[in-house]
Amino acid sequence: MKHFNITEDTLTKLQTFDTVEEMNESIKLHKANNELSQRDKDILDAISRYSCKYVGVSYLSKQKIAEDAGFKSRRTAIRACKRLEALGVIKQYETRRIKGDKRRSTNVIVINPIVLKDNDQKGENTRHKQQSPRAVTSDSHGKQAPNKSFIKHNTSNTYKDTEKKNNAPADFIKKALKHAIPTPIYDALAPFFDGQGLYDTYGILLRSKASIDRNIRLEEHAERYINAFYNVARLYKAGKVRKSFRGLLYATWERLTSEISRTVGGNKLLAYDPY
């Protein structure tokens, strides 16, 4: 297989979206149309956070992906990426080291546009088809080579850096999230956070719920989750929180989910009458 250097031109050609909003919408549809575990969704979200400068394209180690998603083992990210690729959600492109033994290095990961079906026929992507699979080359440490034609190693690809580089409004991420978060929860959380903070906090809510019962619908219990958040925020503002705000918020939402799960389960049992 022919090897390519990681140049700005290469990464630009691998882009699958014109805007971050398009990418977010495709990710939302991928989640709705595929049976993804919460772990897979967390890994996909972590990848998307580093896929903004070259929209839909990231160049991140599996260890970093795992840590950003809240997991310790790189094997978690490796397995999740394999499942996501098998489902057509992402595409991984092999990279090679320039020097030394030229072994495989960090993969370039591309988020695919959602392909909708119409009368059992696959439609065309909103953008032109991706470039054919190919390998790109990095240095012996898995970093981009120090050549003037290469992307500088400190070039970032996150939401915050994209906002700064493009002089986008501070609420850019919030606008992108508005259609992905249930309206009551969005309206309650948005005044407290910037875009990235809102994204991270909603992620805490999803993870805490999934750890107990992922079948609970947030829309049906939004008021209880919102009241729990307000209580944590009040305690934190009063200086009564010993642990981190995020840690307490996770524990509070997890405990609430457990209560809701028992209530729903109890109601179902009471509703059953065999006689």
Side-chain angles (χ1 to χ4, degrees), residues 23-41:
M23 178 182 71
N24 289 338
E25 186 62 26
S26 254
I27 289 173
K28 181 179 177 181
L29 292 173
H30 277 307
K31 291 177 180 178
N33 287 279
N34 292 286
E35 295 183 0
L36 302 180
S37 68
Q38 187 59 48
R39 182 171 298 179
D40 293 343
K41 291 178 181 178

Side-chain angles (χ1 to χ4, degrees), residues 1-5 10 93-96 132-137:
M1 181 182 292
K2 186 177 180 181
H3 299 156
F4 286 81
N5 297 330
T10 298
Y93 291 91
E94 181 182 313
T95 68
R96 295 278 182 178
S132 58
R134 55 193 178 185
V136 289
T137 311

Side-chain angles (χ1 to χ4, degrees), residues 6 11 14-17 23 43-48 50-52 54-66 77-78 80-82 84-85 89-95 105-112 130 134 136 157:
I6 301 181
L11 296 177
L14 286 174
Q15 285 187 125
T16 44
F17 305 96
M23 178 182 71
I43 292 296
L44 179 58
D45 288 340
I47 293 171
S48 72
Y50 288 85
S51 304
C52 298
Y54 304 97
V55 188
V57 183
S58 64
Y59 181 45
L60 205 63
S61 70
K62 294 299 192 297
Q63 182 63 45
K64 176 62 178 176
I65 293 173
I78 292 173
C81 284
K82 286 183 178 179
L84 291 171
E85 187 168 29
V89 178
I90 66 171
K91 175 65 179 176
Q92 300 188 83
Y93 291 91
E94 181 182 313
T95 68
S105 184
T106 303
N107 287 341
V108 170
I109 300 177
V110 177
I111 299 173
N112 291 328
Q130 295 181 30
R134 55 193 178 185
V136 289
N157 198 14

